[in-house]
mmCIF file of all heavy atoms in Angstrom:
data_model
loop_
_atom_site.group_PDB
_atom_site.id
_atom_site.type_symbol
_atom_site.label_atom_id
_atom_site.label_comp_id
_atom_site.label_asym_id
_atom_site.label_seq_id
_atom_site.Cartn_x
_atom_site.Cartn_y
_atom_site.Cartn_z
ATOM 1 N N LEU A 78 82.264 202.648 284.005
ATOM 2 C CA LEU A 78 82.504 201.254 283.616
ATOM 3 C C LEU A 78 83.544 201.179 282.508
ATOM 4 O O LEU A 78 84.435 200.317 282.533
ATOM 5 C CB LEU A 78 81.198 200.606 283.152
ATOM 6 C CG LEU A 78 81.308 199.114 282.803
ATOM 7 C CD1 LEU A 78 81.643 198.306 284.052
ATOM 8 C CD2 LEU A 78 80.013 198.604 282.166
ATOM 9 N N HIS A 79 83.450 202.077 281.539
ATOM 10 C CA HIS A 79 84.424 202.090 280.447
ATOM 11 C C HIS A 79 85.835 202.307 280.981
ATOM 12 O O HIS A 79 86.765 201.550 280.651
ATOM 13 C CB HIS A 79 84.072 203.193 279.449
ATOM 14 C CG HIS A 79 85.024 203.276 278.294
ATOM 15 N ND1 HIS A 79 84.912 202.496 277.174
ATOM 16 C CD2 HIS A 79 86.120 204.069 278.102
ATOM 17 C CE1 HIS A 79 85.897 202.776 276.341
ATOM 18 N NE2 HIS A 79 86.636 203.726 276.876
ATOM 19 N N HIS A 80 86.006 203.310 281.833
ATOM 20 C CA HIS A 80 87.335 203.597 282.380
ATOM 21 C C HIS A 80 87.794 202.484 283.324
ATOM 22 O O HIS A 80 88.996 202.187 283.397
ATOM 23 C CB HIS A 80 87.324 204.950 283.099
ATOM 24 C CG HIS A 80 87.152 206.115 282.177
ATOM 25 N ND1 HIS A 80 88.041 206.393 281.153
ATOM 26 C CD2 HIS A 80 86.197 207.079 282.115
ATOM 27 C CE1 HIS A 80 87.641 207.475 280.502
ATOM 28 N NE2 HIS A 80 86.538 207.913 281.064
ATOM 29 N N LEU A 81 86.847 201.891 284.034
ATOM 30 C CA LEU A 81 87.200 200.804 284.938
ATOM 31 C C LEU A 81 87.803 199.634 284.162
ATOM 32 O O LEU A 81 88.862 199.114 284.528
ATOM 33 C CB LEU A 81 85.959 200.328 285.699
ATOM 34 C CG LEU A 81 86.087 199.016 286.481
ATOM 35 C CD1 LEU A 81 87.135 199.156 287.580
ATOM 36 C CD2 LEU A 81 84.739 198.614 287.073
ATOM 37 N N PHE A 82 87.131 199.225 283.080
ATOM 38 C CA PHE A 82 87.649 198.097 282.311
ATOM 39 C C PHE A 82 88.982 198.440 281.657
ATOM 40 O O PHE A 82 89.877 197.593 281.581
ATOM 41 C CB PHE A 82 86.631 197.669 281.256
ATOM 42 C CG PHE A 82 85.691 196.591 281.735
ATOM 43 C CD1 PHE A 82 84.598 196.906 282.517
ATOM 44 C CD2 PHE A 82 85.912 195.265 281.417
ATOM 45 C CE1 PHE A 82 83.740 195.923 282.970
ATOM 46 C CE2 PHE A 82 85.057 194.270 281.863
ATOM 47 C CZ PHE A 82 83.968 194.596 282.639
ATOM 48 N N ARG A 83 89.126 199.668 281.179
ATOM 49 C CA ARG A 83 90.401 200.060 280.582
ATOM 50 C C ARG A 83 91.512 200.026 281.622
ATOM 51 O O ARG A 83 92.633 199.597 281.328
ATOM 52 C CB ARG A 83 90.286 201.458 279.972
ATOM 53 C CG ARG A 83 89.321 201.572 278.821
ATOM 54 C CD ARG A 83 89.780 200.833 277.587
ATOM 55 N NE ARG A 83 91.008 201.377 277.042
ATOM 56 C CZ ARG A 83 91.576 200.957 275.912
ATOM 57 N NH1 ARG A 83 91.018 199.961 275.237
ATOM 58 N NH2 ARG A 83 92.688 201.487 275.471
ATOM 59 N N ARG A 84 91.197 200.471 282.820
ATOM 60 C CA ARG A 84 92.208 200.458 283.888
ATOM 61 C C ARG A 84 92.472 199.038 284.368
ATOM 62 O O ARG A 84 93.614 198.682 284.661
ATOM 63 C CB ARG A 84 91.720 201.316 285.053
ATOM 64 C CG ARG A 84 92.700 201.404 286.226
ATOM 65 C CD ARG A 84 92.247 202.399 287.269
ATOM 66 N NE ARG A 84 91.070 201.968 287.999
ATOM 67 C CZ ARG A 84 89.874 202.503 287.882
ATOM 68 N NH1 ARG A 84 89.660 203.501 287.024
ATOM 69 N NH2 ARG A 84 88.849 202.052 288.596
ATOM 70 N N TRP A 85 91.441 198.238 284.423
ATOM 71 C CA TRP A 85 91.538 196.891 284.986
ATOM 72 C C TRP A 85 92.297 195.952 284.062
ATOM 73 O O TRP A 85 93.120 195.164 284.504
ATOM 74 C CB TRP A 85 90.128 196.362 285.249
ATOM 75 C CG TRP A 85 90.045 195.005 285.853
ATOM 76 C CD1 TRP A 85 90.382 194.638 287.131
ATOM 77 C CD2 TRP A 85 89.568 193.815 285.219
ATOM 78 N NE1 TRP A 85 90.140 193.297 287.322
ATOM 79 C CE2 TRP A 85 89.646 192.770 286.171
ATOM 80 C CE3 TRP A 85 89.071 193.527 283.934
ATOM 81 C CZ2 TRP A 85 89.243 191.464 285.878
ATOM 82 C CZ3 TRP A 85 88.669 192.238 283.655
ATOM 83 C CH2 TRP A 85 88.766 191.229 284.627
ATOM 84 N N ALA A 86 92.032 196.029 282.747
ATOM 85 C CA ALA A 86 92.641 195.048 281.845
ATOM 86 C C ALA A 86 92.993 195.607 280.475
ATOM 87 O O ALA A 86 93.245 194.842 279.556
ATOM 88 C CB ALA A 86 91.703 193.864 281.667
ATOM 89 N N SER A 87 93.025 196.934 280.347
ATOM 90 C CA SER A 87 93.346 197.545 279.050
ATOM 91 C C SER A 87 92.407 197.039 277.956
ATOM 92 O O SER A 87 92.819 196.762 276.830
ATOM 93 C CB SER A 87 94.808 197.280 278.660
ATOM 94 O OG SER A 87 95.681 197.787 279.625
ATOM 95 N N ILE A 88 91.155 196.921 278.300
ATOM 96 C CA ILE A 88 90.171 196.363 277.386
ATOM 97 C C ILE A 88 88.845 197.085 277.603
ATOM 98 O O ILE A 88 88.551 197.523 278.711
ATOM 99 C CB ILE A 88 90.024 194.847 277.641
ATOM 100 C CG1 ILE A 88 89.262 194.142 276.527
ATOM 101 C CG2 ILE A 88 89.340 194.566 278.969
ATOM 102 C CD1 ILE A 88 89.291 192.627 276.655
ATOM 103 N N THR A 89 88.076 197.268 276.532
ATOM 104 C CA THR A 89 86.786 197.926 276.664
ATOM 105 C C THR A 89 85.739 196.911 277.118
ATOM 106 O O THR A 89 85.910 195.701 276.935
ATOM 107 C CB THR A 89 86.337 198.523 275.322
ATOM 108 O OG1 THR A 89 86.097 197.458 274.393
ATOM 109 C CG2 THR A 89 87.392 199.465 274.765
ATOM 110 N N PRO A 90 84.627 197.398 277.694
ATOM 111 C CA PRO A 90 83.559 196.449 278.072
ATOM 112 C C PRO A 90 83.050 195.646 276.880
ATOM 113 O O PRO A 90 82.772 194.455 277.005
ATOM 114 C CB PRO A 90 82.475 197.360 278.650
ATOM 115 C CG PRO A 90 83.218 198.556 279.147
ATOM 116 C CD PRO A 90 84.343 198.767 278.166
#
Side-chain angles (χ1 to χ4, degrees):
L78 184 65
H79 180 84
H80 292 300
L81 168 63
F82 268 81
R83 296 292 296 184
R84 181 173 69 250
W85 181 70
S87 301
I88 193 171
T89 66

